[in-house]
Structures are given as C-alpha cells and as structure tokens.
C-alpha cells in the first residue's frame, strides 16, 4: 500500500485496554491515521463530524448501551459507505449472524476477528481493503429537500431507466424494471436513494409513482407494438398503499396505456414496520384479482417478509443482492439464498436473483435453478432508447455460449 492509499481507521471498543491494544497493534503495522472511540454513540458522532470519514471501522460486537448490531444499523442510517471488520469474543454463530446483517445492509465486510486479536490475522484482513471512489463511499451524503423534489416532479426532471430481467435457463429477456433517476440541472444524474425517502416523508410519493408509472407503461406499449414482448416492473412504496384509490389509479393508467395487467409487475418493499397493514393488504389483494403481478422486493432485508408472504398472494420473490452476489463462495450467504429459493417454490412463486455481478454468480444461479436474474453482469439500468440494441447484443452473446456448450 502506498502512503496516499493508507486507509483512515476507526476502532470502537468499550474496554479501554482492548482499544489501546488494537491501536498499538495498528501502529506497529504502519497504520497511523487511527481514531479510537469507547462507544457506538461516540463513533457515530465522529463519523458525522469528521471531514474525512473512516475507510475501515473495527467494531467490537459486545458493548453496553449500543451493541455492535445496533451500531451497524445506525451506521447505515448515517450514510456510512466504508468497510467493516468485526471484532468479538462471541462465538462463531453470533459473528455469522452479524455478518449476514452487514450483507443485508450492503456494508462491505472485510471479515471478523476473534479476541484476543492475533496481529497477523489483523494484517491479513487489512490487506483485503481497497480504496473506493468518494462517490461510492458517501452515497447518501446529500439528501434533497421536499421543495426540490416537488419541483423536480413538476418540471419533468425525472426519467426512467430500465434494467433487463432475463430467464436463467434460456437467457431470454423476459422484462425490464423501471428505475427512476433525476436529471438534476446542476448536480447531474441523481439516484433514487437520495430522493425516494424524501418523497415518502413529504407526501410526494403518490405523484412520483404516478409519473414513473405513466412513463413506464407508455414505453412498454411502444416496445410491445414494435414486437418486443416485455413485462414491465414498477417499484411501489408502502406509502402508496394507504388509500384504496390507488387500485383505481393503477387499473385506469394501465388500461389507458393499452397494456395488459399480466405484463405489469408491482414490486413492493417493506422498508419500515407498518402499524396497520389492513389497507396495503386490501389494495394488493385487489390488484392481484385484477391480474397484476405482485413481487416482494429485497427479500431477506425487510421487516416482516415472512408474514407478508403468508398474507399477500405474491407471484414473484426477489432475493436481495446481499444474498446473491458471492453466494457461491460464502456458506452463510448461500444458506439464506437456498432458504429463500425453497420458500418461493413452496409458495409457487417465481424467483428473481438481484445483484448478479459476475460469471460465477450467473453460473451459481444456473446450478441452483433460480428462474430470473437481474444485475450488472447482464446489464446496468439504461435509457429506454438503448434497450433494443442491448437485446441484440445479449442474444448474440447467448448464441455464442450455446455454441460453446454444444
Ligand atoms: P430495487 O428496486 O431493489 O432496485 C435494484 C437496485 O439495484 C437499483 O438501484 C439497481 O440499479 C441496482 N442494481 C442492479 N443490478 C445491480 C448489481 O448487479 N449490483 C449492484 N450493486 N446493484 C445493482 P437504484 O436504481 O439506485 O434504485 C435503488 C432503489 O430505489 C430501488 O431498489 C428501489 O427500491 C428504489 N426505487 C427506484 N425507482 C423507484 C420508483 O420509481 N419508486 C419507488 N418507490 N422506489 C424506487
Ligand atoms: Mg425493485
Ligand atoms: Mg431490490
């Protein structure tokens, strides 16, 4: 590692002796940009206030007040995008649970170390770290205000990108997922994690969903008229499901666009606990009766995914990318992936794996019999105009593979 690439480190441990020991060990290994905090709260404050946020946090799991598990969740809420090393005296099982949690939060976990920490193991783990670009590090750095988001909708600054969903067995392109982007006049392309939450909090999500849906349905009709028989998936926020009027909007917009409900997939994520699920339950069930396809998004990371499965007749289960990418090489991740797949089959649902990023992921899906796949290995989300060209290239690639296998 060159001088410039040395990571900034933060060590969190409630035991003063352990804290000193680890910082000393790091200094012996040549890491000098190290801060120590004796509680999760102090560490969060440091992450918030520091001009240069840490690249790697070494975190003790067992701390009074805020334990490592709560600290992890709070780190995500505070927009931490760096790496993590878990340090603990707890048993292997507990560490694995937290490892899964970190994956679900999309935190880059370098690994875990058991106390007492052997210096060689610590050095090996730090070797795994590689610098990432600042944009990736601080993805939720700037969240926009309600007025800005309201203006963006009114001024037509939102555009849909489309990411293909393909059948794993045949490679056929089955449909696309519409993913909203904000073409900001000053800041360039803004991703949804920086404005969907704001729209939800300030009563703008119904209008946002309406705009996305109208655009996606019109585009699907254009593709279908041109002979591309694609389904379209639209992301629905739980906040859209509070008024039964939503059913009429969706039915009306779909009919007006000339698209059949069977070709419309509604992807629902439960990002927070719902106090009263009666309205969402009624709305989703009625949409299903109208033959819309319902999909449970980010499965494995939601709050009550299992009770949702029991109560709502979903057609599709999307396994969160935290349980897909790299599953072939990690037993813990694979266990959750397998369980999700089995559960979906038992409920008669189609399975979609998100976050298929490389050939190994793709082959793993083939071996395990997942139905559909989505991810950067297949294609990144793209503007509508690029899709027909991409499909041609993809089909050519599929034919080549088939020839190699035959
Ligand atoms: P999602 O519905 O789970 O969509 C998948 C996200 O994963 C997209 O991020 C996509 O670009 C990204 N992705 C796809 N393949 C890969 C991969 O191989 N590796 C990795 N690391 N990421 C991959 P995006 O577009 O930033 O959207 C983030 C989330 O914002 C979406 O997650 C969805 O929950 C929400 N969202 C997007 N558009 C809308 C919308 O119109 N309405 C609502 N309510 N939410 C939306
Ligand atoms: Mg989705
Ligand atoms: Mg998802």
């Amino acid at each position: 590692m060159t001088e410039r690439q040395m990571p900034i480190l933060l060590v969190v441990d409630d035991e003063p002796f352990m804290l000193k020991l680890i910082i000393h060990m790091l200094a012996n290994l040549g890491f000098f940009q190290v801060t120590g905090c004796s509680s999760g709260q102090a560490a969060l404050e440091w992450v918030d206030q520091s001009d240069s946020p840490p690249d790697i946090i070494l975190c003790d799991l067992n701390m009074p007040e805020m334990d490592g598990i709560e600290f992890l969740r709070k780190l995500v809420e505070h927009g931490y995008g760096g790496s993590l090393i878990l340090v603990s005296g707890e048993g292997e099982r507990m560490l694995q649970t937290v490892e899964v949690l970190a994956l679900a939060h999309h935190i880059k976990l370098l690994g875990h170390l058991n106390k007492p920490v052997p210096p060689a193991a610590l050095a090996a783990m730090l070797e795994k770290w590689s610098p990432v670009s600042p944009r990736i590090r601080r993805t939720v750095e700037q969240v926009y205000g309600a007025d800005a988001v309201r203006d963006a909708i009114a001024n037509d600054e939102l555009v849909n990108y489309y990411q293909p969903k393909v059948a794993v067995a045949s490679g056929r392109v089955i449909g696309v997922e519409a993913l909203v982007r904000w073409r900001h006049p000053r800041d360039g392309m803004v991703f949804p994690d920086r404005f969907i939450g704001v729209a939800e909090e300030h009563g703008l999500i119904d209008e946002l969903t309406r705009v996305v849906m109208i655009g996606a349905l019109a585009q699907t009709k254009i593709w279908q008229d041109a002979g591309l028989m694609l389904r379209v998936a639209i992301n629905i926020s739980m906040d859209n499901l509070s008024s039964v009027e939503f059913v009429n909007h969706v039915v009306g917009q779909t009919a007006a666009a000339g698209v059949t409900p069977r070709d419309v997939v509604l992807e629902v994520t439960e990002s927070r606990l719902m106090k009263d699920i009666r309205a969402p339950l009624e709305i989703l069930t009625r949409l299903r009766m109208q033959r819309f396809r319902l999909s449970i998004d980010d499965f494995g990371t939601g709050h009550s995914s299992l009770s949702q499965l029991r109560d709502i007749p979903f057609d599709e289960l999307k396994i969160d990318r935290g349980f897909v990418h790299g599953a072939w090489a990690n037993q813990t991740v694979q266990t959750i992936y397998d369980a999700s797949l089995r559960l979906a089959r038992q409920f008669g649902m189609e399975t979609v794996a998100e976050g298929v990023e490389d050939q190994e992921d793709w082959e793993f899906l083939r071996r395990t019999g997942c139905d559909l796949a989505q991810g950067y290995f297949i294609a990144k989300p793209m503007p509508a105009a690029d899709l027909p060209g991409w499909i041609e290239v993809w089909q050519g690639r599929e034919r080549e593979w088939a020839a190699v296998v035959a």
Side-chain angles (χ1 to χ4, degrees), residues 49-121:
Q49 282 159 16
S50 170
D51 287 336
S52 34
D55 298 297
I56 306 173
I57 297 180
L58 286 98
C59 172
D60 178 26
L61 272 184
N62 204 343
M63 297 183 288
E65 290 160 41
M66 191 189 295
D67 64 28
I69 296 179
E70 189 184 356
F71 176 63
L72 202 81
R73 183 165 47 75
K74 292 243 162 91
L75 265 182
V76 177
E77 286 167 13
H78 286 241
Y80 178 65
S83 300
L84 187 76
I85 295 174
L86 298 170
V87 184
S88 172
E90 303 289 332
E92 196 74 3
R93 190 76 200 88
M94 165 84 166
L95 278 166
Q96 279 185 358
T97 310
V98 183
E99 218 174 272
V100 168
L101 206 71
L103 283 164
H105 286 307
H106 304 302
I107 287 186
K108 192 157 188 283
L109 191 66
L110 298 179
H112 64 247
L113 295 166
N114 285 310
K115 286 183 186 174
V117 177

Side-chain angles (χ1 to χ4, degrees), residues 173-397:
V173 184
I174 301 296
V176 291
E177 173 175 7
L179 293 159
V180 69
R181 306 281 179 258
W182 176 2
R183 274 210 189 108
H184 196 285
R186 188 192 60 225
D187 301 345
M189 195 67 93
V190 179
F191 287 83
D193 56 350
R194 287 168 65 186
F195 58 92
I196 293 288
V198 181
E200 287 174 345
E201 268 168 45
H202 294 88
L204 301 169
I205 194 70
D206 282 338
E207 187 55 17
L208 186 145
T209 304
R210 196 181 69 82
V211 170
V212 170
M213 192 173 280
I214 286 178
L217 289 167
Q219 184 57 55
T220 303
K221 178 70 175 154
I222 293 172
W223 282 325
Q224 292 188 345
D225 285 349
L228 283 180
M229 300 318 285
L230 298 172
R231 284 182 204 158
V232 68
I234 296 158
N235 287 286
I236 301 297
S237 157
M238 266 308 207
D239 293 275
N240 291 132
L241 305 178
S242 54
S243 155
V244 285
E245 266 307 292
F246 186 71
V247 178
N248 299 335
H249 288 314
V250 173
V251 171
Q253 280 169 19
T254 307
V259 175
T260 161
R262 283 177 210 276
D263 288 338
V264 180
V265 184
L266 303 171
E267 294 190 5
V268 189
T269 315
E270 192 176 31
S271 53
R272 57 190 173 76
L273 276 177
M274 295 295 286
K275 274 192 240 62
D276 188 351
I277 63 149
R278 278 173 301 181
L281 207 65
E282 176 184 337
I283 292 167
L284 290 174
T285 309
R286 283 173 58 192
L287 285 166
R288 174 69 202 274
M289 280 161 61
Q290 299 280 340
R291 301 287 180 262
F292 287 90
R293 297 175 65 85
L294 303 183
S295 168
I296 182 164
D297 206 347
D298 302 333
F299 188 73
T301 68
H303 283 284
S304 60
S305 312
L306 285 175
S307 57
Q308 281 190 341
L309 281 187
R310 183 195 59 207
D311 298 333
I312 302 169
F314 285 103
D315 302 271
E316 175 184 286
L317 181 148
K318 293 189 83 171
I319 307 174
D320 187 76
R321 68 181 147 95
F323 308 119
V324 173
H325 175 52
W328 59 276
N330 182 321
Q331 193 51 54
T332 312
V333 177
Q334 210 177 106
T335 304
I336 296 183
Y337 168 90
D338 286 339
S340 310
L341 209 65
R342 222 172 315 122
L343 208 61
R345 286 200 187 117
Q346 275 163 7
F347 281 97
M349 291 185 280
E350 210 161 38
T351 45
V352 184
E354 302 185 312
V356 181
E357 290 194 4
D358 50 40
Q359 182 95 31
E360 279 97 346
D361 290 343
W362 174 256
E363 273 157 20
F364 174 72
L365 298 186
R366 283 214 141 142
R367 281 200 301 279
T368 50
C370 184
D371 298 311
L372 305 180
Q374 194 179 345
Y376 296 165
F377 176 68
I378 301 150
K380 290 201 168 172
M382 62 185 92
D386 294 352
L387 193 84
W390 173 82
I391 291 181
E392 255 178 51
V393 174
W394 171 258
Q395 284 171 344
R397 189 168 137 184

Side-chain angles (χ1 to χ4, degrees), residues 136-154:
I136 299 171
R137 268 181 49 188
R138 282 236 148 179
T139 42
V140 281
E141 187 173 44
Q142 188 193 356
V143 171
Y144 291 86
D147 287 340
V149 176
R150 192 177 292 114
D151 289 348
I153 301 173

